[in-house]
């Protein structure tokens, strides 16, 4: 996949410049040690214009990730949101994926950053499809213990674990890896949170050992609106495998139904599951169709 071309503009520390002309120092802690924080954000072409979904929540989490990792965050978040909208306009992007990254300046020591930069780029992202059901495998890799790295922070270094798990799952022929936490409870997929359905209720792992997904929070909000009971608890592998249906959710994944986990194939048809209802409600929400229906 090509992320930029000769005309692509990026945002770097208050300036807009051509991606092809931009560069970074090779002697930084981010490149060497994965000491950086980032976000993954979606923009949608809606009938109200170009919309960045939950922009404030994403920039809040970016700041929080930095705080948890002792990385300074000397920027105004409202300003960053305005600059991100400008970035989309400059690149003529509508349905897009946006990637802000806070990275540290040259310093090969294992101590506090000597300075930080913020880089924001965006690329075209196909409109929602959501039709494909996923085949998952429980990974031999487990999510890192939050006592070793803050798992509630979206830190670059944490994603080595995700890459290892996804690669191993793909080699075995699965779409995605599902990781357990250090106590053997269900945690999350390599880049998405999980919900299961059992007897008309939804369940999702409680916070602590997982990334607090913004989509996960949105699903919970949708459950309140739709009067669906949603329970956060420690989920066992048995509960996962005895569920009626299940789905992953995340900014990039949106809401994606799970067909199977290892040898277990979910019996409830996706189109009859609560996940399918949530999937459609999520689509309406990001495309602002809910308001549209109210307005007309
Ligand atoms: N868990 C992990 C490990 C992730 O990388 C992501 C994607 N950011 C998620 C969960 C879902 O988070 P969000 O809904 O905020 O995209």
């Amino acid at each position: 996949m090509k992320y930029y071309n000769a005309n692509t503009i990026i945002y770097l520390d208050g300036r807009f410049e051509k991606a092809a002309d931009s560069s970074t120092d090779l002697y930084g802690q981010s490149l060497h040690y994965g000491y950086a924080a980032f976000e993954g954000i979606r923009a949608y072409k809606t009938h109200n214009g170009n919309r960045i979904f939950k922009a404030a929540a994403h920039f809040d989490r970016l700041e929080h990730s930095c705080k948890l990792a002792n990385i300074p965050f000397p920027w105004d978040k409202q300003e960053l949101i305005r600059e991100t909208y400008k970035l989309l306009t400059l690149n003529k992007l509508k349905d897009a994926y946006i990637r802000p990254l806070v990275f540290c300046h040259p310093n090969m020591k294992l101590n506090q950053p000597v300075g930080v930069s913020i880089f924001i780029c965006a690329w075209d992202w196909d409109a929602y499809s959501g039709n494909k059901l996923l085949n998952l495998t429980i990974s031999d890799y487990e999510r890192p213990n939050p006592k070793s790295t803050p798992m509630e922070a979206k830190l670059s270094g944490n994603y080595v674990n995700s890459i290892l798990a996804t690669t191993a799952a793909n080699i075995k022929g699965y779409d995605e890896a599902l990781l357990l936490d250090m106590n053997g409870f269900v945690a999350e997929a390599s880049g998405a949170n999980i919900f299961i359905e059992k007897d008309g209720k939804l369940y999702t792992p409680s916070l602590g050992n997982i990334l607090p997904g913004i989509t996960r929070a949105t699903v919970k909000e949708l459950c309140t609106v739709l009067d669906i009971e949603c329970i956060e608890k420690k989920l066992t592998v048995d509960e996962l495998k005895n569920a009626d249906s299940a789905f992953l959710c995340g900014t990039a994944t949106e809401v994606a139904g799970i067909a199977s986990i290892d040898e277990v194939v979910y019996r409830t048809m996706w189109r009859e599951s609560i996940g399918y209802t949530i999937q459609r409600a999520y689509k309406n929400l990001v495309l602002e169709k809910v308001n549209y229906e109210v307005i007309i």
Side-chain angles (χ1 to χ4, degrees), residues 19-283:
D21 299 338
S22 299
S23 65
T24 183
D25 199 299
L26 295 177
Y27 290 75
Q29 289 170 310
S30 302
L31 184 62
H32 288 257
Y33 311 127
Y35 191 37
F38 69 100
E39 269 305 320
I41 314 178
R42 276 293 319 266
Y44 292 91
K45 178 176 182 278
T46 78
H47 60 91
N48 291 323
N50 239 13
R51 284 281 201 260
I52 301 176
F53 186 64
K54 299 224 165 165
H58 282 282
F59 281 100
D60 283 349
R61 188 172 63 187
L62 185 61
E63 181 178 45
H64 189 61
S65 296
C66 287
K67 189 168 170 221
L68 289 175
N70 298 319
I71 297 173
F73 188 92
W75 303 286
D76 179 275
K77 288 176 287 179
Q78 285 309 317
E79 176 72 12
L80 291 176
I81 293 172
R82 279 194 295 276
E83 299 288 48
T84 307
Y85 270 106
K86 199 165 162 194
L87 184 75
L88 294 177
T89 308
L90 288 170
N91 287 294
K92 300 187 180 63
L93 287 168
K94 291 191 164 68
D95 283 306
Y97 184 85
I98 303 160
R99 168 55 55 83
L101 173 75
V102 174
F103 64 96
C104 303
H105 290 174
N107 172 19
M108 297 296 245
K109 294 189 183 149
L110 301 177
N111 59 8
Q112 280 278 100
V114 294
V116 282
S117 281
I118 186 158
F119 159 60
I120 310 176
C121 59
W123 58 87
D124 202 33
W125 193 267
D126 270 353
Y128 189 96
S129 76
N131 293 329
K132 189 181 173 325
L133 297 183
L134 304 170
N135 295 304
L136 268 57
T137 183
I138 295 181
S139 183
D140 291 337
Y141 293 98
E142 61 183 36
R143 286 306 266 167
N145 188 321
K147 287 182 179 166
S148 64
T149 179
M151 291 308 292
E152 299 211 349
K154 200 164 165 63
L155 298 177
S156 299
N158 290 352
Y159 281 81
V160 175
N161 171 257
S162 297
I163 292 171
L164 290 170
T166 307
T167 307
N170 292 162
I171 287 170
K172 286 202 254 169
Y174 293 95
D175 299 308
E176 252 292 3
L178 184 69
L179 290 91
L180 308 181
D181 68 17
M182 68 283 180
N183 298 316
F185 291 105
V186 176
E188 59 190 329
S190 51
N193 292 115
I194 185 163
F195 282 77
I196 63 167
E197 173 184 348
K198 183 73 183 173
D199 298 333
K201 294 176 189 167
L202 285 186
Y203 296 84
T204 195
S206 23
L207 296 182
N209 305 326
I210 59 170
L211 187 80
I214 289 163
T215 320
R216 176 185 179 279
T218 308
V219 169
K220 282 172 49 192
E221 286 162 20
L222 289 173
C223 283
T224 308
V225 173
L226 298 169
D227 206 17
I228 296 165
E229 196 173 343
C230 179
I231 298 152
E232 293 176 64
K233 68 187 275 288
K234 288 187 161 105
L235 282 183
T236 65
V237 172
D238 264 6
E239 287 170 312
L240 173 75
K241 293 193 167 176
N242 287 311
D244 299 326
S245 73
F247 61 90
L248 293 184
C249 70
T251 300
T253 310
E254 300 180 317
V255 175
I258 300 173
S260 69
I261 302 210
D262 290 320
E263 73 288 355
V264 174
V265 177
Y266 288 118
R267 276 187 302 267
T268 301
M269 294 275 291
W270 173 244
R271 283 178 176 260
E272 283 159 20
S273 70
I274 298 178
Y276 182 60
T277 303
I278 298 284
Q279 188 182 51
R280 281 175 299 152
Y282 186 79
K283 183 180 177 181

